[in-house]
Amino acid sequence: MVTFEGMENILRPLIVVGGSVLLTLIIGWATDRLMRKADERHSETPLWGQLRRARVPYQLVLCTALLRGSYDEAELLLEHRVAVGRVLTLVLIGAAAWLAIRIAAAVVETTYSRYARVHRDPARVRRVRTQVTLIMRVVAAVVGVVAVAAMLLTFPAMRAAGASLLASAGILGIVAGVAAQSTLSNMFAGLQIAFGDMVRIGDTVVVDGEWGTVEEITLTFLTVRTWDERRITMPVSYFTSKAFENWSRGGAQMTGTVFLHVDHSAPMEAMRGQLRDILRACPAWDGRDYGLVVTDSTPSTMEVRALVTAKDADDLWTVRVTVREELIRWLTERHPYALPRVNATDAVLPPGFPVPQRVPTGRRPHQHDHQPTRPERP
């Protein structure tokens, strides 16, 4: 027969634990519903939608805090009360750090979205995006370090060792500084890139002969996505210590060239007109400028340079390949004589020009062959 005391020992933990979980679900559902209504009412700002992403760490903080506060009333696992209380405290600290990072990310992302809507300059928007990304990484790192420090301080042994740790902080700082010299230099280089506006997410750069777009910037490394969808990961200190090309710096407009080798008889005026027609039919051309000039000459061909413009590097590539292909096709169909060729015949001389006598190319006489001799004088 189950006594009243036995029933109380069973129901008390169920009521405390179940009540904490149920209360957490109710508060979490109500909070999420309020944020959803606020998001529908204020559609001009993404803040409430961003805050809804923090509902999981928010409910975890609520549940852990309720369990931590009411655990003594549950009278469950009394012989392990200290260990269970410490575990709940550690989980509470970790969940609180997670929630703080999510809230900070929501506020920063909302601020960036408002800035991007107001400012139409892509370069400034990319600069702010780069700064926002690095700020969030710094905030996450700081919150993580504080959370780990708070977790360690929950252990009495760590608190007792605090004095000795502080006494040796100078020596440990020197050792850590020497050991982490490369990492620290990369971190400071990342901050310098973010707030010095040297390179931004989305910029078109050329590093080590590779052309690509900056895809990601962290405190320690930078990722460049090449035109053939490869990823080049480089330390951020590279961009503060070596020269590199940033095609998006100061504006995305670019000027490019297309070189062709044609015969000396190529119709230059007709080629200029054809270049104009090709560019007018090409959507990637921005209409700023174009030109066609002879830049070099060899005994067999001459070098022709077509100059074109575009609003960015991607469109410039499209314009260049289009011009090259269309000009070669036009020359092949309309003026095949203007294509480079190897001369295998004599040049055509103007009328009245004396034709030079050709020297016979027969076999050269050998010294033993019979040669006519001069007659002797009588």
Side-chain angles (χ1 to χ4, degrees), residues 50-373:
Q50 294 287 337
L51 287 176
R52 288 187 62 200
R53 298 181 180 179
R55 57 181 177 270
V56 174
Y58 172 68
Q59 293 178 0
L60 185 59
V61 169
L62 283 178
C63 184
T64 309
L66 291 174
L67 288 176
R68 185 68 181 86
S70 59
Y71 176 73
D72 292 338
E73 302 296 332
E75 296 182 0
L76 182 66
L77 300 176
L78 296 178
E79 64 277 8
H80 302 289
R81 177 180 300 178
V82 177
V84 173
R86 184 167 298 162
V87 170
L88 291 175
T89 302
L90 295 177
V91 174
L92 179 61
I93 294 174
W98 186 11
L99 179 62
I101 293 174
R102 284 294 180 89
I103 293 176
V107 174
V108 172
E109 190 69 25
T110 302
T111 305
Y112 166 74
S113 300
R114 290 178 178 176
Y115 183 88
R117 284 199 307 267
V118 173
H119 296 81
R120 301 297 181 183
D121 186 3
R124 296 180 63 183
V125 172
R126 291 199 304 269
R127 179 184 63 186
V128 174
R129 182 62 182 173
T130 303
Q131 295 174 354
V132 164
T133 302
L134 291 179
I135 287 174
M136 275 308 307
R137 295 185 184 276
V138 171
V139 170
V142 171
V143 173
V145 170
V146 172
V148 171
M151 290 179 181
L152 293 177
L153 290 177
T154 59
F155 296 92
M158 297 301 299
R159 290 198 300 265
S164 60
L165 288 176
L166 289 176
S168 59
I171 299 176
L172 291 177
I174 295 175
V175 174
V178 173
Q181 182 178 2
S182 177
T183 303
L184 292 176
S185 64
N186 279 329
M187 292 181 62
F188 285 114
L191 295 176
Q192 184 178 353
I193 285 178
F195 296 97
D197 198 21
M198 299 174 58
V199 61
R200 300 154 296 196
I201 295 176
D203 281 2
T204 302
V205 297
V206 178
V207 290
D208 286 343
E210 295 284 350
W211 175 89
T213 304
V214 178
E215 188 176 54
E216 183 182 7
I217 299 178
T218 68
L219 288 176
T220 56
F221 67 89
L222 185 147
T223 302
V224 177
R225 176 173 56 86
T226 61
W227 64 273
D228 54 355
E229 298 184 355
R230 291 181 292 117
R231 302 300 191 275
I232 301 177
T233 301
M234 311 180 70
V236 292
S237 58
Y238 174 91
F239 293 86
T240 58
S241 59
K242 296 183 180 181
F244 65 96
E245 297 183 30
N246 189 344
W247 291 3
S248 302
R249 181 78 174 179
Q253 295 179 343
M254 298 193 67
T255 300
T257 56
V258 177
F259 289 95
L260 295 177
H261 290 272
V262 297
D263 190 76
H264 294 92
S265 60
M268 295 303 301
E269 291 301 326
M271 288 184 67
R272 291 187 179 96
Q274 183 63 22
L275 175 62
R276 181 183 63 250
D277 296 340
I278 293 173
L279 291 176
R280 287 177 177 176
C282 182
W285 181 53
D286 62 357
R288 287 191 295 122
D289 193 13
Y290 76 96
L292 185 72
V293 294
V294 177
T295 55
D296 197 6
S297 177
T298 66
S300 58
T301 61
M302 62 179 180
E303 184 184 69
V304 177
R305 186 199 69 184
L307 185 142
V308 295
T309 59
K311 66 180 179 65
D312 54 29
D314 292 335
D315 283 356
L316 182 65
W317 173 262
T318 303
V319 174
R320 292 176 62 191
V321 296
T322 301
V323 168
R324 185 181 295 108
E325 178 181 349
E326 293 297 326
L327 275 180
I328 293 176
R329 183 184 60 81
W330 177 76
L331 288 173
T332 303
E333 295 177 355
R334 301 293 183 86
H335 304 278
Y337 63 89
L339 296 174
R341 61 181 185 272
V342 178
N343 293 327
T345 60
D346 295 335
V348 178
L349 300 177
F353 194 87
V355 178
Q357 297 296 326
R358 296 178 60 90
V359 178
T361 59
R363 186 176 66 89
R364 192 174 178 181
H366 196 267
Q367 61 179 352
H368 298 291
D369 292 347
H370 174 74
Q371 299 289 339
T373 59

